Amino acid sequence: MKLGKIPREVLERLVFTNLGTIRKEVVLHSQYGEDAAAIDLQENLAVVTVDPITCADAMSGYLSVYVACNDLAACGAKPIAILVAILLPPDAEQDDLSNLMKEIDRACNKLQIEVVGGHTEVTDSVRRPLICTTAIGKVEKQKFVTSSGAKPGDWIVVTKHIGLEGTSILASDFEELLRKKFSEQFIKKAQSFIEHISVVEEGLVASQIGVSAMHDITEGGLIGAIFELAKASKVGFELWEDQVPVLEETKQICEFFNINPLKLISSGSMLICTKNADKLIDALAKKRIKATIIGKILKEGYYVVSKNQVRAISEDLTDEIYEVRKRFANKAV
């Protein structure tokens, strides 16, 4: 199989047909496009999710906390705790484990959450550290948001800038290669984007004012996220490429590697669908969070508009970071 996410048709045939006994306490079940599950706890919902870190070398521990908690935020849930499973290859040292846990601790302290359990093991089944993080949060029932609630006519809004996570990963893992073209100041700034990958605050703000759907933009980038949301909601979309916010460092690094920033892993940006974009943007602005309208939800069809040209696109969840690793793996630091 290809690297990256398992295709939707394979998931539906092999995974979603084998989910055990359906429980009445579960109010959001496992399905395509949804990154979390929700369990009824009377007044509140317990929201849970799990995410692996497989494509980042530098700061993997730090990333592992945020990618999981961001999934909770996309449901409007406030993170409370995480459990972490860490699998280390045989050549790992104790310092490797120490560094991972220090990064996890730093991220948890910033989010004010606790590590309540997990598992650590050395195994020859992995060639480099693998981290799987389970995050637990809570949300009031009336504030709960899914990825499957988008409706035709909704505005599509993204927060901050796309490609923050991918830019930071590439700037860290291929630092020496990038030094051939870019200054140290440029590279350090790109690496610093890792400090802005949380979407917890924008998720909580959006859920308080009421929105149709949310999805955090992770593996597969903006294109992958909008397809997942559209498939979950059974709608189409029109994406205005020229309106998508991309920082200059992301543009230049993507040009250097000849990749598309719209398909680059983008933790740090939340995808939100709403009928009242102005109210959402104003609420986020009060928290000093940039938000941009980048398109509209349609009844059907998947389109990208660029320079007044409209083109239909097909589903593609492959992240550009895998293409970079394939072409430049022997040049990574």
Side-chain angles (χ1 to χ4, degrees), residues 125-161:
S125 295
V126 298
R127 291 177 293 176
R128 57 181 181 175
L130 172 64
I131 310 170
C132 289
T133 304
T134 299
I136 305 167
K138 69 176 182 178
V139 61
E140 296 176 34
K141 287 183 180 179
Q142 63 269 29
K143 305 296 184 184
F144 183 57
V145 183
T146 69
S147 295
S148 56
K151 300 291 189 296
D154 282 349
W155 299 103
I156 303 172
V157 176
V158 294
T159 62
K160 300 201 282 289
H161 301 85

Short mmCIF file of all heavy atoms in Angstrom, two decimals, residues 125-161:
data_model
loop_
_atom_site.label_atom_id
_atom_site.label_comp_id
_atom_site.label_asym_id
_atom_site.label_seq_id
_atom_site.Cartn_x
_atom_site.Cartn_y
_atom_site.Cartn_z
N SER A 125 10.31 -3.93 15.95
CA SER A 125 9.23 -3.72 14.98
C SER A 125 9.25 -2.31 14.39
O SER A 125 8.55 -2.04 13.41
CB SER A 125 7.87 -3.97 15.64
OG SER A 125 7.73 -5.32 16.02
N VAL A 126 10.01 -1.39 15.01
CA VAL A 126 10.11 -0.02 14.49
C VAL A 126 11.57 0.31 14.22
O VAL A 126 12.48 -0.22 14.87
CB VAL A 126 9.50 1.02 15.46
CG1 VAL A 126 8.02 0.75 15.65
CG2 VAL A 126 10.22 1.01 16.80
N ARG A 127 11.79 1.20 13.26
CA ARG A 127 13.15 1.64 12.92
C ARG A 127 13.49 2.99 13.53
O ARG A 127 14.65 3.38 13.57
CB ARG A 127 13.31 1.70 11.40
CG ARG A 127 13.30 0.33 10.74
CD ARG A 127 13.40 0.44 9.24
NE ARG A 127 12.20 1.05 8.67
CZ ARG A 127 12.06 1.33 7.38
NH1 ARG A 127 13.05 1.07 6.53
NH2 ARG A 127 10.95 1.87 6.93
N ARG A 128 12.46 3.73 13.96
CA ARG A 128 12.65 4.98 14.66
C ARG A 128 11.50 5.14 15.65
O ARG A 128 10.49 4.43 15.54
CB ARG A 128 12.74 6.16 13.70
CG ARG A 128 11.55 6.34 12.79
CD ARG A 128 11.76 7.52 11.88
NE ARG A 128 10.63 7.73 11.00
CZ ARG A 128 10.53 8.76 10.18
NH1 ARG A 128 11.49 9.65 10.14
NH2 ARG A 128 9.48 8.90 9.40
N PRO A 129 11.60 6.04 16.61
CA PRO A 129 10.56 6.15 17.63
C PRO A 129 9.16 6.36 17.04
O PRO A 129 8.98 7.15 16.10
CB PRO A 129 11.00 7.36 18.46
CG PRO A 129 12.49 7.38 18.31
CD PRO A 129 12.74 6.94 16.89
N LEU A 130 8.20 5.65 17.59
CA LEU A 130 6.79 5.80 17.21
C LEU A 130 6.01 6.18 18.46
O LEU A 130 6.12 5.53 19.50
CB LEU A 130 6.25 4.48 16.65
CG LEU A 130 4.75 4.41 16.38
CD1 LEU A 130 4.35 5.40 15.28
CD2 LEU A 130 4.34 2.99 15.99
N ILE A 131 5.25 7.26 18.36
CA ILE A 131 4.48 7.77 19.49
C ILE A 131 3.00 7.76 19.13
O ILE A 131 2.60 8.33 18.11
CB ILE A 131 4.89 9.21 19.85
CG1 ILE A 131 6.40 9.33 20.00
CG2 ILE A 131 4.20 9.67 21.13
CD1 ILE A 131 6.89 10.75 20.12
N CYS A 132 2.19 7.13 19.96
CA CYS A 132 0.73 7.15 19.79
C CYS A 132 0.11 7.80 21.03
O CYS A 132 0.31 7.31 22.15
CB CYS A 132 0.17 5.75 19.61
SG CYS A 132 0.58 5.02 18.02
N THR A 133 -0.61 8.87 20.83
CA THR A 133 -1.17 9.64 21.94
C THR A 133 -2.69 9.57 21.93
O THR A 133 -3.33 9.85 20.92
CB THR A 133 -0.73 11.11 21.84
OG1 THR A 133 0.69 11.18 21.81
CG2 THR A 133 -1.25 11.90 23.03
N THR A 134 -3.24 9.17 23.07
CA THR A 134 -4.69 9.19 23.27
C THR A 134 -5.03 10.41 24.13
O THR A 134 -4.46 10.58 25.20
CB THR A 134 -5.16 7.92 23.99
OG1 THR A 134 -4.85 6.79 23.18
CG2 THR A 134 -6.67 7.97 24.22
N ALA A 135 -5.91 11.25 23.63
CA ALA A 135 -6.30 12.46 24.36
C ALA A 135 -7.75 12.36 24.81
O ALA A 135 -8.60 11.81 24.11
CB ALA A 135 -6.11 13.70 23.48
N ILE A 136 -8.02 12.92 26.00
CA ILE A 136 -9.34 12.88 26.59
C ILE A 136 -9.77 14.31 26.94
O ILE A 136 -8.99 15.07 27.54
CB ILE A 136 -9.36 12.04 27.88
CG1 ILE A 136 -8.81 10.63 27.60
CG2 ILE A 136 -10.76 11.97 28.48
CD1 ILE A 136 -8.50 9.85 28.84
N GLY A 137 -10.98 14.67 26.55
CA GLY A 137 -11.48 16.00 26.86
C GLY A 137 -12.96 15.97 27.17
O GLY A 137 -13.59 14.90 27.18
N LYS A 138 -13.54 17.15 27.41
CA LYS A 138 -14.97 17.22 27.69
C LYS A 138 -15.57 18.45 27.05
O LYS A 138 -14.89 19.45 26.82
CB LYS A 138 -15.23 17.22 29.19
CG LYS A 138 -14.79 18.48 29.93
CD LYS A 138 -15.19 18.43 31.40
CE LYS A 138 -14.79 19.72 32.12
NZ LYS A 138 -15.22 19.72 33.53
N VAL A 139 -16.87 18.37 26.78
CA VAL A 139 -17.59 19.48 26.17
C VAL A 139 -19.06 19.38 26.57
O VAL A 139 -19.59 18.27 26.72
CB VAL A 139 -17.44 19.46 24.63
CG1 VAL A 139 -18.01 18.19 24.02
CG2 VAL A 139 -18.09 20.68 24.00
N GLU A 140 -19.70 20.52 26.77
CA GLU A 140 -21.15 20.53 27.01
C GLU A 140 -21.85 20.03 25.75
O GLU A 140 -21.43 20.32 24.62
CB GLU A 140 -21.62 21.95 27.33
CG GLU A 140 -21.04 22.53 28.61
CD GLU A 140 -21.48 23.96 28.82
OE1 GLU A 140 -22.62 24.28 28.43
OE2 GLU A 140 -20.68 24.76 29.35
N LYS A 141 -22.92 19.29 25.93
CA LYS A 141 -23.60 18.67 24.80
C LYS A 141 -23.99 19.68 23.72
O LYS A 141 -23.83 19.43 22.52
CB LYS A 141 -24.84 17.92 25.28
CG LYS A 141 -24.53 16.64 26.02
CD LYS A 141 -25.82 15.93 26.41
CE LYS A 141 -25.53 14.63 27.15
NZ LYS A 141 -26.77 13.93 27.55
N GLN A 142 -24.51 20.83 24.14
CA GLN A 142 -24.99 21.81 23.17
C GLN A 142 -23.86 22.53 22.44
O GLN A 142 -24.10 23.22 21.44
CB GLN A 142 -25.91 22.84 23.84
CG GLN A 142 -25.24 23.70 24.90
CD GLN A 142 -25.34 23.10 26.27
OE1 GLN A 142 -25.40 21.88 26.43
NE2 GLN A 142 -25.37 23.94 27.30
N LYS A 143 -22.62 22.37 22.90
CA LYS A 143 -21.47 23.01 22.26
C LYS A 143 -20.69 22.04 21.38
O LYS A 143 -19.70 22.42 20.75
CB LYS A 143 -20.52 23.58 23.32
CG LYS A 143 -21.17 24.54 24.32
CD LYS A 143 -21.68 25.80 23.66
CE LYS A 143 -22.24 26.77 24.69
NZ LYS A 143 -22.83 27.98 24.07
N PHE A 144 -21.11 20.79 21.33
CA PHE A 144 -20.39 19.75 20.59
C PHE A 144 -20.46 19.99 19.09
O PHE A 144 -21.53 20.28 18.54
CB PHE A 144 -20.98 18.39 20.95
CG PHE A 144 -20.28 17.22 20.32
CD1 PHE A 144 -18.93 17.00 20.52
CD2 PHE A 144 -21.00 16.31 19.54
CE1 PHE A 144 -18.30 15.91 19.95
CE2 PHE A 144 -20.37 15.22 18.97
CZ PHE A 144 -19.02 15.02 19.18
N VAL A 145 -19.32 19.87 18.41
CA VAL A 145 -19.22 20.09 16.96
C VAL A 145 -18.60 18.85 16.32
O VAL A 145 -17.71 18.22 16.89
CB VAL A 145 -18.35 21.33 16.64
CG1 VAL A 145 -18.32 21.59 15.13
CG2 VAL A 145 -18.86 22.56 17.38
N THR A 146 -19.06 18.51 15.11
CA THR A 146 -18.49 17.38 14.39
C THR A 146 -17.91 17.85 13.05
O THR A 146 -18.06 19.02 12.67
CB THR A 146 -19.55 16.30 14.11
OG1 THR A 146 -20.50 16.81 13.16
CG2 THR A 146 -20.27 15.90 15.39
N SER A 147 -17.32 16.92 12.33
CA SER A 147 -16.85 17.21 10.97
C SER A 147 -17.96 17.01 9.95
O SER A 147 -17.80 17.36 8.77
CB SER A 147 -15.67 16.30 10.60
OG SER A 147 -14.55 16.58 11.41
N SER A 148 -19.07 16.43 10.38
CA SER A 148 -20.11 16.02 9.44
C SER A 148 -21.32 16.95 9.40
O SER A 148 -22.36 16.59 8.86
CB SER A 148 -20.58 14.60 9.79
OG SER A 148 -21.02 14.53 11.14
N GLY A 149 -21.17 18.16 9.94
CA GLY A 149 -22.31 19.07 10.02
C GLY A 149 -22.35 20.18 9.00
O GLY A 149 -23.23 21.04 9.04
N ALA A 150 -21.40 20.19 8.05
CA ALA A 150 -21.36 21.27 7.06
C ALA A 150 -22.59 21.24 6.15
O ALA A 150 -23.06 20.16 5.76
CB ALA A 150 -20.09 21.17 6.22
N LYS A 151 -23.10 22.43 5.81
CA LYS A 151 -24.31 22.54 4.98
C LYS A 151 -24.02 23.44 3.77
O LYS A 151 -23.23 24.38 3.86
CB LYS A 151 -25.45 23.15 5.78
CG LYS A 151 -25.86 22.34 7.02
CD LYS A 151 -26.52 21.03 6.64
CE LYS A 151 -27.12 20.34 7.87
NZ LYS A 151 -26.09 19.95 8.86
N PRO A 152 -24.66 23.14 2.63
CA PRO A 152 -24.49 24.02 1.47
C PRO A 152 -24.80 25.47 1.84
O PRO A 152 -25.77 25.75 2.53
CB PRO A 152 -25.52 23.47 0.47
CG PRO A 152 -25.64 22.03 0.83
CD PRO A 152 -25.53 21.99 2.33
N GLY A 153 -23.94 26.37 1.39
CA GLY A 153 -24.08 27.78 1.72
C GLY A 153 -23.17 28.22 2.85
O GLY A 153 -22.97 29.43 3.04
N ASP A 154 -22.64 27.27 3.62
CA ASP A 154 -21.68 27.63 4.66
C ASP A 154 -20.43 28.24 4.05
O ASP A 154 -19.96 27.83 2.98
CB ASP A 154 -21.24 26.38 5.45
CG ASP A 154 -22.26 25.93 6.48
OD1 ASP A 154 -23.21 26.70 6.74
OD2 ASP A 154 -22.10 24.83 7.03
N TRP A 155 -19.88 29.23 4.75
CA TRP A 155 -18.56 29.74 4.40
C TRP A 155 -17.49 28.80 4.95
O TRP A 155 -17.66 28.22 6.02
CB TRP A 155 -18.35 31.14 4.97
CG TRP A 155 -19.31 32.17 4.47
CD1 TRP A 155 -20.39 32.68 5.15
CD2 TRP A 155 -19.31 32.81 3.20
NE1 TRP A 155 -21.05 33.60 4.38
CE2 TRP A 155 -20.42 33.70 3.17
CE3 TRP A 155 -18.49 32.72 2.07
CZ2 TRP A 155 -20.71 34.49 2.07
CZ3 TRP A 155 -18.79 33.51 0.96
CH2 TRP A 155 -19.88 34.37 0.97
N ILE A 156 -16.40 28.66 4.22
CA ILE A 156 -15.26 27.87 4.69
C ILE A 156 -14.21 28.85 5.20
O ILE A 156 -13.75 29.73 4.47
CB ILE A 156 -14.66 27.01 3.56
CG1 ILE A 156 -15.73 26.08 2.97
CG2 ILE A 156 -13.48 26.20 4.08
CD1 ILE A 156 -15.27 25.34 1.72
N VAL A 157 -13.85 28.68 6.47
CA VAL A 157 -12.89 29.58 7.12
C VAL A 157 -11.70 28.76 7.62
O VAL A 157 -11.87 27.63 8.09
CB VAL A 157 -13.56 30.30 8.32
CG1 VAL A 157 -12.55 31.17 9.07
CG2 VAL A 157 -14.75 31.13 7.84
N VAL A 158 -10.48 29.31 7.49
CA VAL A 158 -9.32 28.69 8.11
C VAL A 158 -8.67 29.68 9.07
O VAL A 158 -8.72 30.90 8.85
CB VAL A 158 -8.26 28.20 7.10
CG1 VAL A 158 -8.80 27.08 6.24
CG2 VAL A 158 -7.74 29.34 6.24
N THR A 159 -8.08 29.16 10.13
CA THR A 159 -7.39 30.02 11.09
C THR A 159 -5.89 30.02 10.83
O THR A 159 -5.35 29.07 10.27
CB THR A 159 -7.65 29.55 12.53
OG1 THR A 159 -7.13 28.23 12.71
CG2 THR A 159 -9.14 29.54 12.83
N LYS A 160 -5.26 31.11 11.23
CA LYS A 160 -3.82 31.32 11.09
C LYS A 160 -3.37 31.09 9.64
O LYS A 160 -4.00 31.63 8.72
CB LYS A 160 -3.06 30.46 12.11
CG LYS A 160 -3.42 30.80 13.56
CD LYS A 160 -2.37 30.37 14.55
CE LYS A 160 -2.35 28.92 14.88
NZ LYS A 160 -3.51 28.50 15.71
N HIS A 161 -2.34 30.26 9.45
CA HIS A 161 -1.80 30.02 8.10
C HIS A 161 -1.63 28.52 7.91
O HIS A 161 -1.29 27.80 8.85
CB HIS A 161 -0.46 30.71 7.91
CG HIS A 161 -0.50 32.19 8.10
ND1 HIS A 161 -0.38 32.77 9.35
CD2 HIS A 161 -0.66 33.20 7.22
CE1 HIS A 161 -0.46 34.09 9.22
NE2 HIS A 161 -0.64 34.38 7.95
#
